[in-house]
Amino acid sequence: MQIQEVQAKSKATAWLASASIAALALATPASGQEQGETVAPQSAEQDQVADIVVTGFRQSLGAAINLKRQSIGSVDAIVAEDIAKFPDQNLAESLQRIPGISIQRDGGEGRAITVRGLGAQFTRVRVNGLETVATSTDGASSNRDRAFDFNVFASELFSSLVVHKTAEASLDEGSLGAVVDLNTGNPLAGKDGFTFVGSATGSYNDLSKKWGPRLAGLLSWKSPDGQWGMSLSAAYSKLDTLQMGNNTVRWSQARFDSVDGTPCFTEANSGGDYLPSAACDEAALAFHPRIPRYGEIAQERERLGITGSIQWAPSDATKVSIDGLFSRFRETREEKWAEVLLRSNERSIDVVDPVYDSNNNMVSATLNDAWVRTEHYLRKSQTKFYQLGATWDQDLSDSFRFTLLGGFSKSDASIPVETTLVFDDRDAQGYSFDYSNSRRPVLSFGTSVTDPANFQLAEIRDRPSSTVNKFRTAQLRTEWDLTDGFTVKAGAVYRRFSFDTEGFTRDTVVCGNGGVDRVLGTVTCSASGTFGPGAVYGLPVTADLAELYKLRGADAPAGTTTEWLVPNLSTGTDYTNLYDRPLAVDGGNTRGVVEKTTGGYLQFDAKGDIFGLEYAANAGIRYVKTDQSSTGLNNGQLVSVSRSYEDWLPAMNIALFPHRDIIIRASVADVMTRPSLGNLTPGGSVDGFNYRISFGNPYLDPFRATAYDLAVEWYFAPQSVFSVAAFKKDVQSFPISQTVTGTFASTGLPLSVIPPSSPAAIQPERAEGWAINTIVNGTGASLKGVEIAVQGPFSFLPGFLSRFGGILNATFVDSDADYTVSGPAVVPGGGTVATVRNATLFGLSKRAFNGTLYYEDAKFSARVSASYRSKYIDQNSGTGNIFEGYNSTVNVDASVRYKLTDWIELSLEGINLTDDYRDRYTDLDANRNYEQLHFGRTIQLGARFKL
């Protein structure tokens, strides 16, 4: 894509910045041209647009470098040649090339970003200058928070990505990590007349063995007099992928019925008193997999994106832009598993030949009277994103100008179908598991899992839901050049953000504690304490209600069962009339937040020299008032709580130029991020599987921090930079959970809020009690780190070697935060033990590396990129495990392009060439297997056209 857009300080300085950037972008490494004089930096705030024409990968790198050089604060960017030619499936994967940014993948694609160790909720995202949230329902769970899901958008739709890592008074608040600007087309930057750029690609995943199309196009027009410009772009893609592997859904401690023939209770299977013994105590205190299983996750993803822009510039003093964006992301996710449900059922299970390791894990055993289960899950989801915005840039004089910006956006993520059918065999014999190789366990069923007669249809579930985010924004920015080198900026802002999520459930356990079944009313159920072949706990399974699944591609070792029956969703839902059953409100997933933000800023920009040392600086303060209203379901009633709070956010940035090719930057600012949306609800949620209750806190304070930044940049050659940046954030307020133990009745919640498919629906009270969690304002945390980056063409090498180039960056981060966690039980059958544990912030990898080696000449270009992220904790865990997270990942991508003519280019790209596994763990110390899945390699073959 030839037309690019990069942000600069103001219209008065945009043309100077544009000329400087374009000159650097068009300089070829072989020319031997010296680096030009340093241009005084301009603010990277999205006030105006500088127009850049970029014709190649090297030139696009040069344009991005020059934007970094023009800024006072810490800014990094990618322009469209990078996005279009990196082998990236969406914006998250493009952004990971920037120093300090790591991504979290879901289903083999990037979804959310972490900036300098701070997770997705701490990053604010603006599309064409308007803050927004794009929420998808991709992955194992829906995003119902402030995090921005970058997988909603195809990368081809955007002309530039700009990441602001330091704050300015004139920059929108709400970020502890970064503000990310996503910019679509700029038709007035193109040539006169019509321009068309298009691409057609076929994508193939070697695990799913399926092809999918990926199409993109841009049509733009600019009037001969340069006053009018219009553009329309569209991107469409569809690809089917598979995730294959195993997981445990965590590990836990529990007392079993017997161990190696030694009874652990005075009565078999249920009831009675515990009989302490060495064998029973050891098994009870050891951790075992809760739901050991193999299976597959099939995902069908479809993206459609459309952008449009109309620009009018009747004079050099006036420019009006209207920008629109529509994106639709659809996904069908289907899962098939075979498992043993140890979770909450250990009491009836006999353990034979258990083996324990040094981390107190029961790594292998044979189980009798095991609860065997097969599941078939289907979720259909769709996210629609709309945005319409308008910008009026006006120079009232040579020294005074303003920008008026306004618009709205809406992200509507809906799940009309989220269905699970369950087959159970609750007295299976001879099941064995072996986690000696923890990531490739041997899971073997001793009884047939391909015979319908061994199963009963025990549960039916459907959980439709929707999440809607809306933004309305109006903003005025003004600039007044008081003198040469001194500018006053002032502005005002109004934003209204609304978040509404609602969930419903049709979940039904077929049998309760005896009596007629709850689905068809045709079967007489056994009492819940009945065990053995004669027990009735579901509907009989016939051949037409089942389908045979064969496991492949999961890297399962010999001895693992690879064929089993799963419910047939079509016949099973018809048979049970699932979709005709009434919907019940899911109280924990029905809540809302409305935030009205009003405020303004005053900022002073200056440039000049002190004792011969050139400098550029800005300093100012931002005021913002937040009026917040939170709603949620509590005791079955809709409760609303309102509050207001204010923030004064000073910020200062300075850039020093001891040499024309060296810049020293320093920054200090107070920053804030509003609390997580899920924590603000006055309602609560109930986990009836783990006997946990969570209440929100609508009076939580925002995350507030003081951020420091110091960087040195050396622009040692054209299109080249070496930089080192040190950063530190002192977080004053850091919400933490508080846990108490109590009865369910003590919460005042009705029994109806307990999920009907959970064990607690049958037994709401137990001796160990419930873990009741709430959120309070904690004592804070700290974060510090270093970024190192170097990039440039190898123009110093002879001959064709001079056409090579490289990009390399590394980030080292550490942090310090205290969490209240629930550790292992210390007596058989005892509850978890609450303790305070010091660790890093959630989502923080201590080390991250990105590297790209590229080659480019007039016809041929190639590159290979690698991205490494070290292990990190993701959240608090449960059942006695201390945290859970992900082990390190390495992703390798590559692309090759050949230009047949000036208007046709062929491409071959490979994504995740090493087929890296997603290795999720539970318990930071023991690193127990939570999930081990891989997604396969994706190959893309295509062509680009330019007219």
Side-chain angles (χ1 to χ4, degrees), residues 773-831:
N773 300 310
T774 189
I775 304 295
V776 299
N777 296 307
T779 56
S782 64
L783 176 151
K784 57 186 176 182
V786 175
E787 288 175 7
I788 304 172
V790 62
Q791 74 175 63
F794 300 162
S795 54
F796 54 88
L797 296 176
F800 82 98
L801 295 177
S802 65
R803 301 187 180 102
F804 282 90
I807 308 170
L808 183 65
N809 62 70
T811 306
F812 304 93
V813 191
D814 199 3
S815 66
D816 183 82
D818 290 330
Y819 300 89
T820 300
V821 298
S822 297
V826 295
V827 296

Side-chain angles (χ1 to χ4, degrees), residues 195-274:
T195 299
F196 173 75
V197 180
S199 66
T201 302
S203 297
Y204 175 78
N205 181 266
D206 71 346
L207 200 55
S208 68
K209 309 295 184 185
K210 292 183 179 180
W211 284 90
R214 182 171 178 175
L215 309 171
L218 166 71
L219 178 65
S220 67
W221 173 81
K222 179 181 176 182
S223 63
D225 60 8
Q227 294 188 9
W228 287 94
M230 303 179 186
S231 67
L232 180 68
S233 66
Y236 173 83
S237 66
K238 184 176 182 180
L239 183 63
D240 297 347
T241 61
L242 282 179
Q243 300 181 52
M244 307 293 301
N246 67 86
N247 67 27
T248 63
V249 199
R250 222 179 300 121
W251 293 56
S252 63
Q253 301 166 294
R255 297 177 295 186
F256 291 89
D257 191 38
S258 70
V259 179
D260 279 337
T262 301
C264 299
F265 288 86
T266 56
E267 297 180 19
N269 294 321
S270 65
D273 297 319
Y274 182 67

Side-chain angles (χ1 to χ4, degrees), residues 142-436:
S142 302
N143 172 17
R144 295 187 175 98
D145 210 338
R146 299 183 191 272
F148 189 95
D149 287 337
F150 288 90
N151 55 356
V152 170
F153 299 120
S155 58
E156 294 94 336
L157 294 176
F158 295 87
S159 60
S160 69
L161 314 180
V162 181
V163 180
H164 309 262
K165 297 178 182 176
T166 57
E168 297 182 8
S170 58
L171 192 65
D172 287 344
E173 84 292 336
S175 163
L176 260 64
V179 174
V180 178
D181 279 319
L182 312 179
N183 306 304
T184 59
N186 180 18
L188 285 179
K191 65 181 182 180
D192 293 351
F194 285 96
T195 299
F196 173 75
V197 180
S199 66
T201 302
S203 297
Y204 175 78
N205 181 266
D206 71 346
L207 200 55
S208 68
K209 309 295 184 185
K210 292 183 179 180
W211 284 90
R214 182 171 178 175
L215 309 171
L218 166 71
L219 178 65
S220 67
W221 173 81
K222 179 181 176 182
S223 63
D225 60 8
Q227 294 188 9
W228 287 94
M230 303 179 186
S231 67
L232 180 68
S233 66
Y236 173 83
S237 66
K238 184 176 182 180
L239 183 63
D240 297 347
T241 61
L242 282 179
Q243 300 181 52
M244 307 293 301
N246 67 86
N247 67 27
T248 63
V249 199
R250 222 179 300 121
W251 293 56
S252 63
Q253 301 166 294
R255 297 177 295 186
F256 291 89
D257 191 38
S258 70
V259 179
D260 279 337
T262 301
C264 299
F265 288 86
T266 56
E267 297 180 19
N269 294 321
S270 65
D273 297 319
Y274 182 67
L275 295 172
S277 67
C280 293
D281 290 354
E282 186 176 21
L285 292 176
F287 281 84
H288 60 267
R290 294 172 71 238
I291 311 179
R293 61 185 185 175
Y294 271 98
E296 76 167 30
I297 303 170
Q299 290 172 279
E300 300 176 3
R301 291 188 174 106
E302 181 186 42
R303 288 185 185 86
L304 173 65
I306 300 172
T307 70
S309 179
I310 300 175
Q311 294 183 326
W312 178 49
S315 69
D316 290 343
T318 303
K319 183 178 179 180
V320 178
S321 301
I322 300 175
D323 299 291
L325 171 64
F326 168 78
S327 179
R328 187 190 69 201
F329 176 67
R330 289 176 175 168
E331 186 217 21
T332 298
R333 181 185 179 98
E334 188 173 6
E335 304 181 15
K336 300 175 183 179
W337 301 97
E339 62 203 29
V340 165
L341 199 68
L342 283 90
R343 179 201 65 198
S344 302
N345 299 310
E346 294 91 347
R347 173 65 185 83
S348 64
I349 295 175
D350 300 311
V351 178
V352 180
D353 296 330
V355 176
Y356 307 95
D357 69 6
S358 59
N359 285 318
N360 195 32
N361 299 316
M362 184 189 295
V363 293
S364 68
T366 297
L367 308 179
N368 294 320
D369 286 346
W371 190 317
V372 169
R373 169 169 288 185
T374 68
E375 296 186 33
H376 195 169
Y377 170 90
L378 175 68
R379 185 179 69 200
K380 296 182 179 180
S381 62
Q382 176 175 268
T383 297
K384 289 185 177 180
F385 178 87
Y386 314 81
Q387 179 174 292
L388 182 64
T391 305
W392 176 20
D393 298 313
Q394 182 66 52
D395 289 359
L396 297 178
S397 68
D398 290 340
S399 62
F400 188 79
R401 53 203 165 268
F402 71 81
T403 296
L404 184 63
L405 175 70
F408 66 88
S409 66
K410 178 182 179 181
S411 177
D412 186 346
S414 62
I415 303 177
V417 174
E418 187 171 9
T419 298
T420 307
L421 297 186
V422 169
F423 286 168
D424 278 353
D425 175 9
R426 300 184 179 177
D427 60 349
Q429 306 299 306
Y431 174 81
S432 65
F433 65 85
D434 186 351
Y435 280 84
S436 300

